[in-house]
Amino acid sequence: MKALLGAVALFAAALLGRPGGVNDAAITGEGYPARLSEFGFFTDLAARAPARGLFHYDLETPLFSDYAAKERYIYLPAGTRAKYDPDGPLDLPVGAALVKTFGYPVDGRFKPLETRVLLHRAGGWVPIPYVWNAEGTDAEVKRAGTRIPVAFTDPSGERHAISYAVPNQNQCKDCHGLAGQVTPIGIKARYLNHGGQLEAMLAAGMLDRLPADAPRVARWDDRAAPLDARARAWLEINCAHCHNPRGAASNSGLFLDLARADPEQRGLFKRPTAAGRGAGTRDFDIVPGAPDASILLYRMESTDPGIAMPELGRATVHKEGVALVRQWIESMPKSAPGR
């Protein structure tokens, strides 16, 4: 209850306590605003102070993006609500927007690199990437994407210097594509159902309903949660937007969504359909009890563009995620194919 009251209070402050408003015409119009500031999502861009109507949220298990930190907001036009869905993303009205800023800590402060906006227009969802200037005062549209040199230290203390990739608009569509339509990924009830977030949206009139049995995904790094739930949550958020029957990797036959029950479709003793050198010398996506014989882990551990999975969004290996999936595969009872 304390978490719920806190979440409601924080949202009420964001919704009602800040001056200014969002430029709804920039969201629903046909063009691509040249600067992030034209949307009015933030009343103070340097501080990234959200305007009225923006709801800050996070995911119980988030997608890995080269250890970048992320600031996420949902915007709904005045008088509208999201429709609850127990399985897919919340159904957001035309005029809604998802705003996600990526960055790294510099001298103890968050330095934004890019902001990706997903705009719900009359013809569907439209992704647009924006790259921040060096001063952090605004971001310019980069529909063709770009690369930014970045240096950071990961949680283990290892130092990295990478060429950070801002995706182009078509690459955004690759990851967000579902049955040929651009679709949000992270705003599923099961990812948001923690810390009183869904309750806060309901209390603020942003959500039409919230059943008591709303699903909840495990947090990938919560050692108190079951290993199987944590590993499958990590694989779903990082891989299942493509690896599902309607996604970009549907022809692979490897489906990593949490609802998947068939062991072979989930990769157990499943032979790859077209992995090429991405399979190395391995025969199966997952060999129970044998992580080093499993294609899945081999591709997670690689940064080679012809091998690495996911294909986009990383130049480093998520060491902690790899360790989790390795432990998960090791925990599976050893068996032979077909048994």
Side-chain angles (χ1 to χ4, degrees):
M1 178 59 69
K2 185 177 180 180
L4 170 57
L5 293 175
V8 172
L10 285 173
F11 176 65
L15 186 64
L16 301 174
R18 297 192 182 277
V22 172
N23 180 358
D24 291 295
I27 295 175
T28 57
E30 295 183 357
Y32 303 97
R35 290 174 296 278
L36 183 64
S37 56
E38 295 179 39
F39 289 103
F41 291 134
F42 303 100
T43 59
D44 180 343
L45 270 174
R48 297 175 313 285
R52 289 181 306 200
L54 268 77
F55 175 75
H56 178 269
Y57 71 99
D58 60 25
L59 309 186
E60 186 76 322
T61 287
L63 184 145
F64 174 75
S65 305
D66 283 330
Y67 292 102
K70 301 169 187 176
E71 297 176 342
R72 304 174 181 86
Y73 292 93
I74 297 174
Y75 170 74
L76 298 182
T80 67
R81 294 185 296 178
K83 294 181 180 178
Y84 172 82
D85 188 312
D87 303 312
L90 301 181
D91 185 1
L92 304 188
V94 169
L98 300 174
V99 184
K100 183 163 64 171
T101 299
F102 296 68
Y104 293 88
V106 175
D107 297 328
R109 298 183 62 185
F110 178 85
K111 178 181 174 62
L113 290 182
E114 61 156 328
T115 294
R116 302 177 194 176
V117 298
L118 199 57
L119 312 176
H120 199 184
R121 294 178 168 174
W125 287 94
V126 177
I128 313 176
Y130 288 82
V131 174
W132 286 77
N133 59 29
E135 297 76 25
T137 56
D138 209 341
E140 294 186 356
V141 66
K142 292 287 183 182
R143 294 180 62 199
T146 191
R147 286 189 171 272
I148 306 170
V150 172
F152 65 92
T153 301
D154 73 23
S156 73
E158 181 181 352
R159 189 69 176 164
H160 299 266
I162 66 171
S163 177
Y164 177 93
V166 176
N168 65 49
Q169 209 167 11
N170 286 330
Q171 288 172 323
C172 294
K173 294 175 182 178
D174 286 345
C175 287
H176 283 274
L178 191 67
Q181 300 294 320
V182 174
T183 305
I185 295 172
I187 57 164
K188 295 181 175 71
R190 59 181 174 273
Y191 300 145
L192 303 178
N193 192 11
H194 65 102
Q197 292 186 129
L198 291 177
E199 291 86 349
M201 290 183 69
L202 182 70
M206 290 185 67
L207 188 61
D208 66 340
R209 63 188 180 94
L210 180 59
D213 61 349
R216 176 175 297 180
V217 74
R219 199 175 77 228
W220 75 274
D221 58 352
D222 178 10
R223 294 182 178 274
L227 175 60
D228 181 73
R230 292 191 291 126
R232 293 196 63 192
W234 190 98
L235 289 169
E236 180 179 75
I237 193 63
N238 282 278
C239 311
H241 47 275
C242 288
H243 282 278
N244 71 79
R246 297 191 295 158
S250 60
N251 63 346
S252 72
L254 175 64
F255 303 140
L256 296 172
D257 48 300
L258 278 170
R260 198 61 40 189
D262 183 274
E264 185 174 3
Q265 289 185 343
R266 288 164 43 198
L268 278 67
F269 287 121
K270 180 196 165 300
R271 294 187 183 276
T273 56
R277 67 187 186 92
T281 59
R282 296 151 183 80
D283 295 321
F284 301 103
D285 290 339
I286 295 175
V287 179
D292 289 322
S294 302
I295 296 170
L296 178 72
L297 196 69
Y298 173 64
R299 303 194 77 168
M300 286 175 57
E301 291 178 322
S302 178
T303 56
D304 184 318
I307 298 172
M309 281 288 176
E311 294 177 312
L312 302 173
R314 71 175 182 92
T316 58
V317 173
H318 188 199
K319 295 180 292 185
E320 299 80 4
V322 165
L324 170 65
V325 175
R326 173 178 288 276
Q327 182 185 8
W328 176 60
I329 296 175
E330 283 178 341
S331 74
M332 297 178 183
K334 294 183 179 180
S335 59
R339 295 187 179 182

